[in-house]
Amino acid sequence: AAAMASGLWNINFLVCEDLMALERIEVPAFDYIILNDLYSTVPLDVQTSLLPICGRLLSESGILYVRYNTYPGWHGRDLVRAFMLRAAFGADTSGQRVSIARRALDDLNIAYAQTGDAYAKLLEDEKARINSMHDDALMRGLMGVENHPVYVDNFLALADEANLQFISEAN
């Protein structure tokens, strides 16, 4: 609707429940493919297939935008993620899991608050980041079943194998 309202008639949006359905598309038909918060949150077999599929689907001058979780930064986030998942284990609904996990992280921050401590700073920063996230985004991203961060050099090697060329970091 936004594309049409803007007069952008040459845009097609492909939404599919089964990401592997992309394999059935025959021609390199896309100028842009955007994988926002998807790459790290799919099963490893799908993650392994995504870059080659996208490389095949892009037009000659096409651009693939991939937002993914990277190490070493995600090692700290993995600590917080594991804590929140453990705290919310057994909750009946995703809403309950998120609520319990947020409260547990609040309690941990209060209990561990120490001036000048690197771990306390990590917890404080992650709490601020998590507090800014909508519950659905938190559930899909940090608290999702699948979360497979990668090192940047490994990602770039996989991109190269898929005949994709690195252009830039978004940050």
Side-chain angles (χ1 to χ4, degrees):
M4 288 179 171
S6 299
L8 301 173
W9 299 100
N10 64 339
I11 294 178
N12 293 313
F13 294 94
L14 177 64
V15 179
C16 55
E17 294 295 321
D18 177 9
L19 294 173
M20 301 315 285
L22 294 173
E23 288 185 323
R24 294 188 288 276
I25 297 174
E26 296 290 328
V27 296
F30 298 98
D31 293 321
Y32 298 98
I33 297 175
I34 301 170
L35 303 179
N36 190 32
D37 291 335
L38 175 75
Y39 186 80
S40 298
T41 60
V42 294
L44 285 172
D45 61 326
V46 175
Q47 186 184 70
T48 301
S49 300
L50 276 174
L51 294 181
I53 290 170
C54 290
R56 186 178 59 77
L57 293 175
L58 281 171
S59 64
E60 188 174 327
S61 60
I63 294 177
L64 171 63
Y65 171 85
V66 183
R67 182 174 171 184
Y68 59 100
N69 302 333
T70 59
Y71 288 130
W74 255 88
H75 286 296
R77 288 202 170 133
D78 272 341
L79 294 170
V80 173
R81 177 179 189 271
F83 174 79
M84 292 176 75
L85 288 172
R86 187 172 196 283
F89 182 78
D92 293 328
T93 67
S94 61
Q96 289 173 337
R97 283 192 291 276
V98 167
S99 179
I100 291 166
R102 285 184 189 275
R103 278 196 313 272
L105 185 57
D106 289 344
D107 292 345
L108 181 61
N109 267 277
I110 291 167
Y112 199 80
Q114 298 179 27
T115 304
D117 183 84
Y119 185 63
K121 176 72 171 135
L122 173 116
L123 291 175
E124 180 184 318
D125 290 349
E126 282 302 294
K127 180 182 178 308
R129 188 180 72 83
I130 288 166
N131 284 348
S132 72
M133 295 173 74
H134 188 274
D135 286 357
D136 290 340
L138 181 59
M139 197 61 215
R140 275 191 323 273
L142 190 65
M143 294 184 65
V145 173
E146 303 284 348
N147 196 312
H148 307 287
V150 296
Y151 284 95
V152 174
D153 60 332
N154 291 345
F155 178 82
L156 294 176
L158 294 170
D160 188 56
E161 288 174 20
N163 295 315
L164 297 168
Q165 181 181 353
F166 175 78
I167 297 174
S168 169
E169 281 291 325
N171 289 351

